[in-house]
């Protein structure tokens, strides 16, 4: 069975009467309105408001295929069934059918549609605890379908409870379906979660007003199982990549399972993250992408091929997945560029860092040079040096603690701190945006900004590299406005009033009902949290020091005040 057939069979099954589900499109890997998690980690994630009771425009029965990315078990990647990026086939009842129908239909799909062997099916149900009772009901339904008692296990919260996806939200006991592979091992292929609880901020589980069903079936594992394979990487989803890695390295998959699988997994995840607009960086989603690419580079080096050629592996994934995700083809250039640039950057780091291994503290290698801990460890072993993993881990922990504190204190407008210098740079950013719009046109919009006490960085939409003449014009305008000593004006109004009064808004942000608008003379007017200087003269001289591309259609400027 091909992956396209499996998708179609799943969607059709749930859409048919008497199930009558409506197919909805999957969401982006980067959650649109939820800053509490970096990536979409499950099919239910975009549906949280509806599981909590808000009516869904498509009704109470939904089905889809959702791209997911999870990094919590990144260290398990390398075995036959774990992946960072994967797809989840899912169906939902939003306060409609519950345990009995969910389990009967799941069984019907596995046995009648996929024609799996019922004798190889094991199931697990919730054992019960102080928060929720033992799920004897689900076990009885399984028994009524012919699953003998000795293939029904009862397990506790750790294994048979799912959610919430973040700290709070819908969750509940689940029943899991496991299938015996050809090699005798069990693979979990499907999970039916009976989401009738809401975990609150104080850690309590309260009953929701409605009883939901949330199911998730791993596409990669299920495809392996229906094709009688005990290794996901042997399916058509991965084989072109595995063959390519074999060609590039001259090595055999069977003799190098772990590195082949890590490279394939991470490159595929990188392709999908980049396709959804993530670019490698030191922060948030960008940092995950960076790690995925860097870890594949390390594995490529260890297998003995030039990491630059990882993009050929990326192309194999684009080819196999493009019928499902056409954006892979329309964004192919950006995806490959993001990966290629990060490989280059990392190779420079590696060259610099290699000479320093053994000379400076491993934590500084990691922190200052972005040197992967795996490599440092490896070289220490080769050189028979004592690595001191404990001390490294302690330093890492206290560093993470510090960055968390810094992030929590971060100002919404992209400010690192509120010092006088940073306030000046913040005001300069407003003048810069106004100047860019005068010189380049009204299509210019802020895409991001980052300020330190030494410089400002400003990303904006514009299709081409700026010419020297354009840069000079922008600089001159900003300096003229500074010389005019424009006064700052601060007003509070509703978001609608602000937009009608032609204030610029940074549309990537969600605004509260009441907003502040900062104006400087009549050259700049923006919705913004501040703070800003009172008069522009204090900014001194403004100079653009660097211009570059960030992504297709997005340019980045660095500028300094003196
Ligand atoms: N949310 C559950 C899971 O991720 C079932 O969809 O396994």
């Amino acid at each position: 069975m091909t992956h396209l057939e499996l998708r179609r069979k799943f969607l059709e099954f749930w859409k048919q009467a008497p199930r009558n589900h409506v197919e909805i499109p999957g969401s982006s890997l980067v959650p649109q309105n939820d800053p509490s998690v970096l990536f979409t980690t499950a099919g239910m994630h975009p549906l949280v408001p509806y599981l909590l009771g808000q009516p869904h425009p498509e009704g109470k029965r939904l089905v889809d295929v959702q791209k997911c990315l999870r990094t919590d078990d990144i260290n398990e990647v390398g075995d036959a069934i774990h992946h960072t990026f994967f797809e989840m086939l899912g169906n939902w009842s939003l306060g409609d059918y519950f345990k009995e129908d969910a389990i009967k239909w799941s069984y019907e799909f596995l046995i009648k549609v996929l024609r799996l062997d019922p004798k190889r099916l094991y199931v697990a149900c919730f054992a019960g605890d102080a928060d929720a009772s033992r799920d004897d009901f689900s076990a009885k339904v399984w028994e009524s379908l012919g699953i003998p008692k000795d293939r029904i296990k009862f397990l506790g919260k750790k294994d048979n409870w799912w959610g919430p996806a973040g700290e709070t939200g819908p969750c509940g006991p689940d029943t899991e379906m496991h299938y015996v592979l050809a090699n005798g091992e069990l693979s979990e292929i499907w999970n039916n979660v009976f989401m009738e609880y809401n975990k609150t901020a104080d850690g309590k589980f309260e009953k929701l007003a409605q009883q939901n069903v949330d199911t998730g079936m791993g596409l990669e594992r299920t495809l392996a199982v229906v094709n009688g394979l005990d290794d996901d990487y042997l399916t058509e989803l991965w084989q072109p990549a595995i063959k390519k890695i074999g060609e590039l390295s001259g090595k055999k998959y069977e003799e190098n399972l772990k590195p082949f699988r890590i490279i394939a997994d991470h490159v595929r995840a990188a392709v999908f993250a980049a396709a959804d607009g993530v670019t490698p960086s030191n922060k948030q989603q960008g940092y995950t992408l960076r790690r995925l690419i860097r870890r594949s580079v390390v594995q490529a080096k260890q297998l003995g091929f030039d990491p630059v050629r990882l993009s050929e592996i990326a192309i194999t994934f684009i080819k196999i997945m493009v019928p499902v995700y056409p954006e892979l083809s329309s964004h192919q250039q950006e995806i490959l560029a993001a990966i290629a640039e990060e490989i280059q950057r990392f190779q420079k780091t590696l060259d610099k860092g290699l000479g320093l291994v053994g000379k400076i503290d491993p934590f500084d290698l990691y922190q200052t040079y972005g040197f992967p801990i795996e490599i440092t460890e490896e070289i220490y072993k080769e050189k028979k040096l004592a690595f001191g993993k404990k001390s490294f881990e302690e330093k890492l922990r206290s560093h993470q603690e510090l960055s968390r504190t810094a992030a929590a204190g971060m100002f919404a407008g992209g400010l690192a701190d509120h010092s006088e210098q940073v306030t000046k740079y913040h005001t300069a950013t407003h003048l810069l945006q106004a100047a860019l719009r005068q010189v380049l046109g009204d299509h210019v919009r802020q895409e991001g900004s980052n300020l330190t006490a030494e410089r400002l960085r400003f990303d904006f939409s514009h299709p081409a590299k700026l010419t020297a003449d354009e840069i000079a014009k922008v600089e001159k305008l900003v300096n003229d406005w500074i010389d005019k000593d424009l006064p700052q004006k601060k007003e509070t109004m509703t978001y609608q009033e602000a937009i009608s009064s032609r204030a610029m808004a940074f549309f990537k942000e969600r605004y509260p009902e009441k907003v502040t608008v900062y104006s400087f003379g009549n050259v700049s007017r923006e919705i913004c949290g501040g703070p800003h200087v009172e008069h522009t003269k204090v900014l001194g001289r403004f100079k653009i020091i660097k211009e570059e591309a960030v992504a297709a259609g997005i340019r980045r400027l660095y500028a300094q005040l003196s």
Side-chain angles (χ1 to χ4, degrees), residues 41-42 44 70 88 162 191 193 195 214-216:
T41 56
M44 57 73 76
R70 291 184 186 175
M88 204 181 266
W162 201 92
N191 187 9
V193 189
M195 293 198 154
D214 153 46
T215 95

